[in-house]
Amino acid sequence: MAGNGPMEKLQLLENIEKDIASAIASAGKALEELAKDKPVMKSIESNTTAFTKTLESVEKGLMNQINYLTQVSTGQPHEGSCYAAQKDLHMSYHRHAHVKRRLEELEKIRADTKPKVLQLTKSYSLPPMAQPVPGNQ
Amino acid sequence: MSQQSASAQRSIPQSKEALLKSYTIRLKDDVKSMLDNFTEIIRLARVEEDGQVSRTAQAEQDQYEMQVRASNIVRAGESLMKLVSDLKIYLILNDFPSVNDSIAHRTQVCKRLQNEIDAKLLSVRDDLATDLYELEDEYYSSVYK
């Protein structure tokens, strides 16, 4: 939400750039229509109106931006930064990667020693009990 | 020495003011140029009575003037685009409220992510401590120690 502030104003300037292009396009269409043998007056008038209205909105938008900058700009450069928080985040990523690596090593050790544990279990197991022969009882 | 630094500090805002004033002048000049040239082209389209110049020469002159005025409209449009580009740069560098908001937001995001990662690492540590306690208990009470 806080990041929308500068993006909003930049987006407004982007729209003003598009309006400048559309104003010139409207002027071109109006003159193109006027150059025909049988021009349609309505089309010329609508394109001319579009040109003047768009130019007015461009001028108004840019004046608003200039007035806003006149109010907020100082003579000094901005010296704030988010480097400290970013560095702390990088360090926590490093801690996370380190813990992950150590846990993977433990997992590897566990996987490697599993067959040895089975062998140990077999060597220490009791001999099988003697089975009673049926018929002797 | 202190007077020089004070005057230097005073001169910096003046140059910013002069810069913004130049932007205003450029804006007004370019818009006026576009409107005037467009109006003159429309005016040239009017068929006038024969004057001292022959009709062919007049037509050639009108065509040339229209081309020049059309080029002026395009040039003024490009100058307005350049002005918008300069305003974007000025906005990014000098719009302190937006820059402060952006920095505060980015700092908040970084701190939130850091807290999440550290909380997960702490929970892993607690789980490992519990398991280690049980494993140690098992190991030290077995014949293999």
Side-chain angles (χ1 to χ4, degrees), chain A residues 54-81:
Chain A
T54 311
L55 210 54
E56 255 179 56
S57 74
V58 160
E59 187 178 6
K60 194 175 166 190
L62 286 175
M63 277 310 298
N64 285 344
Q65 294 287 337
I66 292 172
N67 289 337
Y68 172 75
L69 286 171
T70 310
Q71 287 169 7
V72 302
S73 66
T74 67
Q76 310 301 326
H78 196 283
E79 293 182 6
S81 86

Side-chain angles (χ1 to χ4, degrees), chain A residues 82-94, chain B residues 110 114:
Chain A
C82 57
Y83 177 73
Q86 207 168 338
K87 193 68 189 168
D88 288 341
L89 179 62
H90 283 165
M91 280 165 40
S92 70
Y93 280 146
H94 289 154
Chain B
C110 289
Q114 183 202 338

Side-chain angles (χ1 to χ4, degrees), chain A residues 9 20 26-27 33 36 40 42 44 48 50 52 54 60 70 76 78 90-91 106-107 122-123 128 132 137:
Chain A
K9 294 186 179 57
I20 293 170
S26 300
E33 189 64 38
K36 289 180 183 173
V40 178
K42 269 189 183 174
I44 297 171
T48 308
T52 49
T54 311
K60 194 175 166 190
T70 310
Q76 310 301 326
H78 196 283
H90 283 165
M91 280 165 40
L106 279 175
E107 185 66 31
K122 278 186 189 169
S123 67
Q137 292 177 353

Side-chain angles (χ1 to χ4, degrees), chain A residues 1-3 5-6 9-10 13-14 16-18 20-21 23-24 26-28 30-31 34 44 47-48 51-52 55-56 58-60 62-63 65-66 68-82 85-86 88-89 92-93 95-96 99 103 106 120 124, chain B residues 9 12-13 16-17 20-21 23-24 27-28 30-32 34-35 38 41-42 45 70 73-74 76-78 80-81 83-85 87-111 113-114 117-118 121 124 128 144:
Chain A
M1 190 165 152
K9 294 186 179 57
L10 288 172
L13 286 171
E14 283 279 319
I16 287 174
E17 274 185 339
K18 287 178 190 167
I20 293 170
I24 295 180
S26 300
L31 295 174
L34 194 59
I44 297 171
N47 282 319
T48 308
F51 169 68
T52 49
L55 210 54
E56 255 179 56
V58 160
E59 187 178 6
K60 194 175 166 190
L62 286 175
M63 277 310 298
Q65 294 287 337
I66 292 172
Y68 172 75
L69 286 171
T70 310
Q71 287 169 7
V72 302
S73 66
T74 67
Q76 310 301 326
H78 196 283
E79 293 182 6
S81 86
C82 57
Q86 207 168 338
D88 288 341
L89 179 62
S92 70
Y93 280 146
R95 284 197 288 276
H96 174 263
V99 166
L103 286 174
L106 279 175
L120 276 172
Y124 278 101
Chain B
Q9 283 181 357
I12 292 169
K16 295 279 185 194
E17 281 180 15
L20 288 168
K21 200 169 177 185
Y23 287 161
T24 310
L27 168 67
K28 292 205 183 299
D30 290 334
V31 169
K32 188 171 183 302
M34 284 177 83
L35 272 173
F38 183 76
I41 291 176
I42 301 284
I73 291 175
V74 172
E78 281 183 1
L80 274 176
M81 292 286 209
L83 174 66
V84 172
S85 167
L87 275 174
K88 277 183 189 174
I89 294 171
Y90 194 92
L91 191 74
I92 289 168
L93 292 175
N94 293 291
D95 185 10
F96 280 15
S98 299
V99 170
N100 289 339
D101 286 346
S102 177
I103 288 174
H105 179 251
R106 178 80 185 142
T107 304
Q108 205 179 356
V109 166
C110 289
K111 281 192 174 164
L113 285 172
Q114 183 202 338
I117 291 172
D118 287 343
L121 286 176
V124 166
L128 281 175
Y144 301 111

